[in-house]
Amino acid sequence: MNTEEAYSRIVYLRNELERHNHLYYVESKPSISDYQYDQLMKELQQLEAQYPEYFDANSPTQRVGNDINQEFTQIEHQYQMLSLGNTYNEGELRDFDNRVKKLLDESFTYICELKYDGVSISLTYENGILKHGVTRGDGSKGDDVTNNIKTIKSIPLKLYGSDYPDYFEIRGEIFMNRIDFNELNDQRIQRGEEPLANPRNTTSGTIKMQNSAQVAKRKLDCFFYYMTGDDLPTGSHLENIMKAKSWGFKIPEVFQKCHSIDEVIQFIKYWDLERHNLNYDIDGIVIKVDSLDQQDRLGFTSKTPRWAISYKFNAERAETLLRSVTFQVGRTGAITPVANLEPVLLAGTTVKRASLHNADQIELLGLHQKDFVYVEKAGEIIPQVVAVNFEKRKPDSLKVLFATECPECGTALIRREGEAAYYCPNEEECPPQIKGRIEHFIGRRAMNIDSLGEGKVEILFDKGLISNVADLYDLTFDKLIGIEKVISPDGEKPRKISFQQKTVDNILKGIESSKQTPFERVLYALGIRNVGETVARKLALHFKDMPALMSSSYEDLIAVNEIGDIIARNVIEFLSSEKNKDIINRLKAKGIQMKIEERTIETLSSSLNGKSVVVSGSFGTSSRRKELEKLVELHGGKKVDSVSKSTAFIVAGENMGPEKRAKAEKLGIPIISENEFLKMIEK
């Protein structure tokens, strides 16, 4: 076999194996035996080894993963992955329906789908080839898990046909069915390992494994239920998903077109009972408006789409004995009561502890010691005590009283006016508060020092190496090397943490890299009460640097958009503390960013102020399109994804979406070329 013949055979084998993957994992219609499939795979592996110049990252042979550990990088979603609003009863569904009717004032159709209990994923395809797979993350950006998702055989690496868009994203849910989950647990038990809790948690942990060869051993699957992009094939959500099926995607097994909210409710009632007969877990129903044009007009709130909602099935409830109530101290000093329970099986997991929220909740429940209580999972994730079985209460049982002193440092608790929680005011010396602030500081959304973690922070604190966030930047190789400790977090099996050379190098590298963290995230990382990511960014953009913020008055702060009385007072209290001033000065001396980057706030002109601009179509490369969108913002404009009456104009490249073009023409919105746009902003 010469080189040309080898290449031809390699291409043939790749196509054949992908075809059989699709038949087996998507269509459930295998056409050859496992032995025949294995022989084709073996031949391809041999040829690829013999002719390495024909390596292809999307070859079927690469689905087995590799043993190379990987650090996940983060990728921004071109189109945000927003969460859906939740409803729990018929009345809330009808309220949603009335809002849609009022906003559209015309007929519309709903598509109902099962809400799969797995892990959300967004895949990007360019010219029919899988480019990357990204987790939901915070909705704006997520982890690049491409190598891991390539091991899932129901996910196409190359698309069938030729009528797909040049560039689009498709979203779905990765899950593990119950049969494969039970089989995996049987294998673990035989090896003397602890069984895994449930399919959803197993899926989440698997997709974040650092070794894709291990991911390949878990039989993960994926349903796709939403496509987004500028050049989609039709104006119907359902038709686009059916079109995706012809390209090789595994679409949901169950969906229904509904013309009224009554039809939606009937669908929900049916699946609330029938879900127990499925081979995979669902926790509700998703309802979407089918028309993309109507979706565009309905738009989004800051967190959720107005054209879709999820109905969550009622949580499972279990009864068990309350053994005791303990009190935990958070990083802000807030005291959280926790119910310690007789272990009980609930929604697939064994529950030993549940939240009691605050003192008011304990009072509302009328909780006594050794009560039998009812436990539910909020959103089927977090266990919480929801009621007491008063019939089983013993006559001599004593009322559960909320703590009056901090369980960690003994300081008398306080309750601020207007707040539900009690607090330990000893924030400078109370150990859980100190460790909590450091853990918040190193978090992914803050300074992102992912080489550290809760266990390592606790060890460093216990060893006296850190007592505040500034101490992190005084750590050296000599201080860290050789440290070790056995820890048992939350009653888990004891495990040993050892600071060997690689661990220490990674910690110091992560700390050094954090010095490039933008000022707005540094501000969030400091852990000022009630200052979340959004508030931190608003303060950073308004005051520009730390000295200006530290010298601001109460009046200066409340003048900032959406900064109210409570936040203003918390900022002043935090920044007026001498200890916090010292920490901030030490951080600044170590090179931490204390002013906003110029590129974050600068604009080139105000020529597009107040104008919403859509950039649609292809401009040679995806990066060029992003450059044009950035230019819109640099000249004061607002980059938007959908066409509406408020759109000022559209910058159109090749293959502009037909729906967008038709809507723009109907509304009389100007459509200009890239060159015309550049000339406009040059003026």
Side-chain angles (χ1 to χ4, degrees):
M1 183 183 296
N2 60 35
T3 303
E4 189 174 326
E5 290 171 337
Y7 177 70
S8 178
R9 182 63 179 171
I10 287 172
V11 171
Y12 168 78
L13 289 169
R14 286 172 178 167
N15 290 336
E16 273 296 282
L17 286 165
E18 283 298 348
R19 185 172 71 86
H20 289 301
N21 274 336
H22 180 78
L23 287 170
Y24 186 92
Y25 293 101
V26 179
E27 301 289 344
S28 298
K29 297 176 182 177
S31 62
I32 60 174
S33 68
D34 288 350
Y35 174 78
Q36 290 170 310
Y37 179 91
D38 291 341
Q39 291 302 108
L40 293 174
M41 179 65 78
K42 186 176 180 180
E43 182 185 355
L44 178 58
Q45 288 172 328
Q46 290 172 343
L47 284 172
E48 287 183 341
Q50 190 175 349
Y51 298 93
E53 63 268 30
Y54 298 134
F55 172 81
D56 184 344
N58 285 326
S59 169
T61 59
Q62 301 305 301
R63 287 191 184 273
V64 298
N66 60 64
D67 293 320
I68 301 172
N69 283 348
Q70 54 187 327
E71 294 291 335
F72 295 122
T73 57
Q74 290 195 307
I75 293 180
E76 287 196 15
H77 298 295
Q78 182 163 342
Y79 308 93
Q80 274 197 309
M81 287 187 76
L82 297 177
S83 301
L84 296 180
N86 292 326
T87 60
Y88 295 90
N89 57 59
E90 185 177 320
E92 292 174 345
L93 274 177
R94 294 190 182 278
D95 289 342
F96 166 75
D97 182 58
N98 289 332
R99 289 195 298 272
V100 174
K101 286 177 179 176
K102 184 177 179 180
L103 289 167
L104 287 180
D105 195 25
E106 64 187 27
S107 62
F108 57 90
T109 302
Y110 289 125
I111 303 299
C112 290
E113 304 165 354
L114 305 183
K115 187 176 183 297
Y116 306 99
D117 193 16
V119 175
S120 298
I121 194 73
S122 180
L123 306 185
T124 298
Y125 285 81
E126 276 194 5
N127 300 316
I129 305 295
L130 175 65
K131 184 179 180 183
H132 51 238
V134 185
T135 61
R136 180 194 298 278
D138 63 2
S140 297
K141 57 183 179 297
D143 287 331
D144 180 357
V145 291
T146 308
N147 289 337
N148 285 352
I149 61 98
K150 281 182 177 181
T151 69
I152 303 172
K153 294 182 179 179
S154 55
I155 292 179
L157 306 181
K158 299 179 182 179
L159 303 184
Y160 295 119
S162 59
D163 57 344
Y164 40 75
D166 291 340
Y167 182 96
F168 70 97
E169 290 183 28
I170 189 164
R171 285 158 185 181
E173 199 85 358
I174 299 174
F175 64 95
M176 179 179 287
N177 69 49
R178 292 172 185 162
I179 292 175
D180 291 334
F181 173 73
N182 291 334
E183 182 181 308
L184 176 63
N185 263 348
D186 288 343
Q187 294 169 356
R188 291 177 65 86
I189 291 169
Q190 289 173 11
R191 294 194 298 265
E193 299 173 355
E194 287 290 322
L196 299 166
N198 56 53
R200 198 268 172 208
N201 290 357
T202 301
T203 300
S204 179
T206 301
I207 210 66
K208 290 295 188 71
M209 282 181 169
Q210 294 292 316
N211 185 323
S212 61
Q214 293 301 314
V215 178
K217 295 177 181 178
R218 304 271 178 100
K219 297 178 181 179
L220 298 181
D221 207 340
C222 189
F223 280 134
F224 292 92
Y225 47 68
Y226 181 65
M227 195 190 309
T228 185
D230 286 325
D231 306 303
L232 301 184
T234 80
S236 158
H237 159 68
L238 180 58
E239 290 177 13
N240 284 338
I241 292 302
M242 295 304 295
K243 194 70 178 172
K245 182 179 181 180
S246 71
W247 301 334
F249 292 103
K250 187 172 185 175
I251 69 167
E253 298 173 337
V254 178
F255 53 80
Q256 181 170 311
K257 186 177 287 189
C258 297
H259 299 281
S260 70
I261 198 65
D262 290 323
E263 290 182 31
V264 171
I265 291 169
Q266 287 303 312
F267 182 86
I268 289 170
K269 288 180 177 178
Y270 175 82
W271 282 105
D272 195 6
L273 299 174
E274 191 64 22
R275 60 180 164 136
H276 301 291
N277 295 322
L278 293 169
N279 186 32
Y280 45 80
D281 293 335
I282 65 172
D283 59 0
I285 300 295
V286 174
I287 303 102
K288 303 172 183 172
V289 171
D290 184 42
S291 165
L292 302 191
D293 175 69
Q294 290 175 335
Q295 288 183 10
D296 280 346
R297 280 186 277 153
L298 289 166
F300 301 82
T301 68
S302 60
K303 295 182 178 179
T304 61
R306 293 191 180 94
W307 45 265
I309 202 163
S310 71
Y311 178 91
K312 301 295 288 290
F313 293 133
N314 288 332
E316 291 185 34
R317 175 180 286 198
E319 182 182 346
T320 189
L321 174 69
L322 173 69
R323 286 178 167 177
S324 63
V325 175
T326 52
F327 298 89
Q328 294 182 338
V329 187
R331 69 174 177 86
T332 63
I335 307 298
T336 303
V338 176
N340 301 298
L341 308 168
E342 187 74 27
V344 62
L345 188 65
L346 178 61
T349 61
T350 300
V351 174
K352 300 177 183 178
R353 308 171 79 202
S355 174
L356 289 167
H357 299 295
N358 51 47
D360 292 342
Q361 182 66 12
I362 291 176
E363 190 68 29
L364 186 64
L365 289 168
L367 199 62
H368 282 216
Q369 295 175 16
K370 305 301 180 183
D371 269 344
F372 281 86
V373 296
Y374 296 106
V375 184
E376 290 182 358
K377 283 191 175 182
E380 299 201 3
I381 298 174
I382 304 169
Q384 59 184 359
V385 175
V386 295
V388 174
N389 186 342
F390 295 107
E391 294 181 1
K392 291 186 177 181
R393 175 176 289 168
K394 294 180 180 179
D396 58 346
S397 66
L398 300 176
K399 188 176 181 179
V400 172
L401 300 176
F402 201 86
T404 57
E405 296 180 348
C406 175
E408 297 288 340
C409 68
T411 303
L413 302 181
I414 62 171
R415 191 174 190 176
R416 294 184 174 89
E417 185 178 350
E419 296 193 29
Y422 279 89
Y423 290 88
C424 169
N426 185 22
E427 59 183 43
E428 294 188 0
E429 296 178 0
C430 185
Q433 294 189 61
I434 297 170
K435 288 184 284 188
R437 284 195 296 273
I438 297 172
E439 288 159 10
H440 171 76
F441 183 83
I442 68 174
R444 171 169 288 181
R445 296 183 181 182
M447 303 301 284
N448 194 26
I449 309 176
D450 57 5
S451 50
L452 280 171
E454 182 178 338
K456 294 187 181 75
V457 166
E458 185 170 345
I459 291 171
L460 295 177
F461 177 83
D462 291 344
K463 297 289 184 181
L465 292 174
I466 56 173
S467 61
N468 60 60
V469 298
D471 289 340
L472 292 169
Y473 297 89
D474 290 332
L475 294 174
T476 64
F477 185 90
D478 290 339
K479 289 180 180 179
L480 296 174
I481 193 67
I483 292 175
E484 59 182 30
K485 185 178 180 181
V486 176
I487 63 170
S488 303
D490 293 329
E492 296 176 9
K493 282 186 175 181
R495 58 190 178 92
K496 185 177 181 180
I497 293 181
S498 181
F499 286 61
Q500 301 301 321
Q501 180 167 341
K502 185 177 180 181
T503 300
V504 173
D505 287 342
N506 286 338
I507 290 172
L508 295 176
K509 181 181 176 183
I511 291 172
E512 186 64 28
S513 297
S514 72
K515 294 178 181 179
Q516 304 306 314
T517 302
F519 173 52
E520 60 269 28
R521 281 174 53 195
V522 173
L523 192 54
Y524 166 67
L526 290 175
I528 304 172
R529 196 188 310 275
N530 297 124
V531 175
E533 292 172 83
T534 301
V535 170
R537 181 164 177 80
K538 288 181 183 296
L539 291 172
L541 287 170
H542 184 86
F543 291 100
K544 306 296 190 293
D545 58 36
M546 184 60 81
L549 178 60
M550 293 182 76
S551 62
S552 63
S553 65
Y554 172 83
E555 288 72 22
D556 294 332
L557 287 163
I558 61 172
V560 181
N561 184 33
E562 297 183 24
I563 304 299
D565 174 75
I566 292 176
I567 293 176
R569 294 188 185 280
N570 286 337
V571 171
I572 290 172
E573 180 183 347
F574 184 92
L575 296 178
S576 61
S577 160
E578 290 302 321
K579 185 168 184 178
N580 289 335
K581 286 180 182 179
D582 178 63
I583 289 172
I584 290 169
N585 288 333
R586 287 176 61 198
L587 291 173
K588 183 179 179 181
K590 292 293 183 178
I592 305 302
Q593 303 298 313
M594 291 295 171
K595 64 179 182 180
I596 200 158
E597 297 178 34
E598 285 303 312
R599 69 170 184 268
T600 308
I601 58 175
E602 71 174 353
T603 56
L604 299 178
S605 79
S606 58
S607 60
L608 300 180
N609 272 4
K611 294 182 179 180
S612 297
V613 180
V614 172
V615 181
S616 179
S618 303
F619 298 88
T621 64
S622 59
S623 61
R624 180 56 181 161
R625 176 171 168 162
K626 290 179 180 178
E627 289 170 9
L628 293 173
E629 292 173 342
K630 186 65 177 176
L631 281 173
V632 170
E633 296 173 342
L634 287 173
H635 287 272
K638 180 182 179 184
K639 188 272 294 183
V640 295
D641 294 324
S642 57
V643 179
S644 66
K645 291 179 181 178
S646 62
T647 303
F649 59 87
I650 298 172
V651 182
E654 294 181 7
N655 303 316
M656 175 184 170
E659 290 288 324
K660 279 189 169 68
R661 184 176 292 278
K663 189 171 182 180
E665 291 172 351
K666 180 180 178 181
L667 296 174
I669 295 169
I671 301 174
I672 65 174
S673 68
E674 176 183 350
N675 287 335
E676 289 172 318
F677 171 65
L678 294 175
K679 288 179 181 178
M680 175 193 296
I681 59 177
E682 281 173 7
K683 293 179 182 178

